[in-house]
Amino acid sequence: MSIVSYDKFRAYVAIDGDDLDTSLMEQPEMYHHVSEQHIFAVATRDHLKLELDELTAELDQEIRQQAAEDDEKLTEGAISNRLKLKPDVKKLTREYLVAKGEAEKWGALKESFSKRSDALKSLVSLRIGERRDLALESGAGQTRNTYVADLAERNRQAAAELRRNRRNKG
C-alpha cells in the first residue's frame, strides 16, 4: 500500500467531536481496511525474512565449502561478515528492514484505530450524559419556576387574608 493511503487513514484517527455520527459509521470499515493492510505488511515482512534466511543459509554453505576446499579456517564472525557483504544479502536485508518498518507502522495505526473505537464509545456516553443533565436541569428549572409561582400565590393569599383581618378589626 502506498504512503498516500497510509497518510489518508492516519488523518482519520482524529475524531471530529461535532460529527460523531459520521465517525461512528466510518469506524468499522476503516478499522477493517487498516487491519487488512497490517496483515499484508506483516506477510510481506515475513516473506522477505524467510527469503533472507534461505539466502543466508545457502551462501553460508557456499562460503564454508569454499573455505574447506581452500583449507582456509574461518571463524563464525568472519563467515557472518562475508555474508553481510554479499550484494544479494545487502539488498534483501534493506528490503526486509523497509517491510519491517511498514508492518510496524500499520500495526501502530491499527492500534490507534482500536483506541479510537474506545474513545468514540466514551464520547457517545459523555454526550448522552450531557443531554440527560440538560434535560434534568430543564426539569429542575421548571420545578423551581413552579415553586416560586406557588410561593408567590401563597404570599398574595396571605397578604389578602391580612388585609381582610385588618378591615374586619378596624
Side-chain angles (χ1 to χ4, degrees), residues 73-131:
K73 295 193 181 215
L74 294 175
T75 64
E76 290 299 317
I79 293 171
S80 177
N81 287 338
R82 286 187 184 183
L83 284 170
K84 289 176 186 175
L85 293 173
K86 296 282 186 182
D88 290 344
V89 172
K90 288 166 67 172
K91 179 180 178 275
L92 207 47
T93 299
R94 285 185 179 92
E95 289 175 17
Y96 167 72
L97 291 174
V98 168
K100 183 179 177 201
E102 281 293 307
E104 290 173 359
K105 187 168 69 170
W106 282 102
L109 188 59
K110 180 182 171 188
E111 179 67 21
S112 294
F113 270 96
S114 179
K115 297 294 183 191
R116 181 181 192 264
S117 179
D118 296 340
L120 282 168
K121 289 175 193 174
S122 296
L123 283 170
V124 167
S125 294
L126 181 66
R127 293 290 163 86
I128 289 170
E130 287 173 353
R131 288 190 177 149

Side-chain angles (χ1 to χ4, degrees), residues 1-164:
M1 186 120 261
S2 70
I3 291 174
V4 173
S5 64
Y6 172 84
D7 290 340
K8 177 181 121 183
F9 282 95
R10 174 65 184 90
Y12 278 109
V13 172
I15 297 172
D16 182 358
D18 296 327
D19 193 11
L20 285 180
D21 291 343
T22 302
S23 294
L24 285 166
M25 290 172 56
E26 291 175 342
Q27 174 67 19
E29 186 164 337
M30 286 191 290
Y31 182 81
H32 177 75
H33 180 77
V34 168
S35 295
E36 282 183 333
Q37 289 307 120
H38 180 241
I39 290 167
F40 177 75
V42 167
T44 301
R45 177 202 64 201
D46 292 348
H47 176 75
L48 286 170
K49 177 66 171 145
L50 180 61
E51 280 187 35
L52 181 60
D53 289 345
E54 289 172 350
L55 178 64
T56 302
E58 289 172 12
L59 292 174
D60 182 272
Q61 187 177 12
E62 288 176 14
I63 291 170
R64 288 176 193 274
Q65 275 181 331
Q66 187 64 46
E69 289 172 8
D70 296 343
D71 271 341
E72 183 181 2
K73 295 193 181 215
L74 294 175
T75 64
E76 290 299 317
I79 293 171
S80 177
N81 287 338
R82 286 187 184 183
L83 284 170
K84 289 176 186 175
L85 293 173
K86 296 282 186 182
D88 290 344
V89 172
K90 288 166 67 172
K91 179 180 178 275
L92 207 47
T93 299
R94 285 185 179 92
E95 289 175 17
Y96 167 72
L97 291 174
V98 168
K100 183 179 177 201
E102 281 293 307
E104 290 173 359
K105 187 168 69 170
W106 282 102
L109 188 59
K110 180 182 171 188
E111 179 67 21
S112 294
F113 270 96
S114 179
K115 297 294 183 191
R116 181 181 192 264
S117 179
D118 296 340
L120 282 168
K121 289 175 193 174
S122 296
L123 283 170
V124 167
S125 294
L126 181 66
R127 293 290 163 86
I128 289 170
E130 287 173 353
R131 288 190 177 149
R132 187 189 72 237
D133 290 348
L134 285 175
L136 289 174
E137 284 180 19
S138 174
Q142 290 173 347
T143 302
R144 193 173 328 125
N145 291 341
T146 303
Y147 172 76
V148 169
D150 288 346
L151 186 60
E153 182 58 31
R154 279 183 278 165
N155 285 341
R156 275 192 293 274
Q157 289 173 359
E161 182 70 26
L162 281 173
R163 281 191 295 269
R164 267 183 266 145

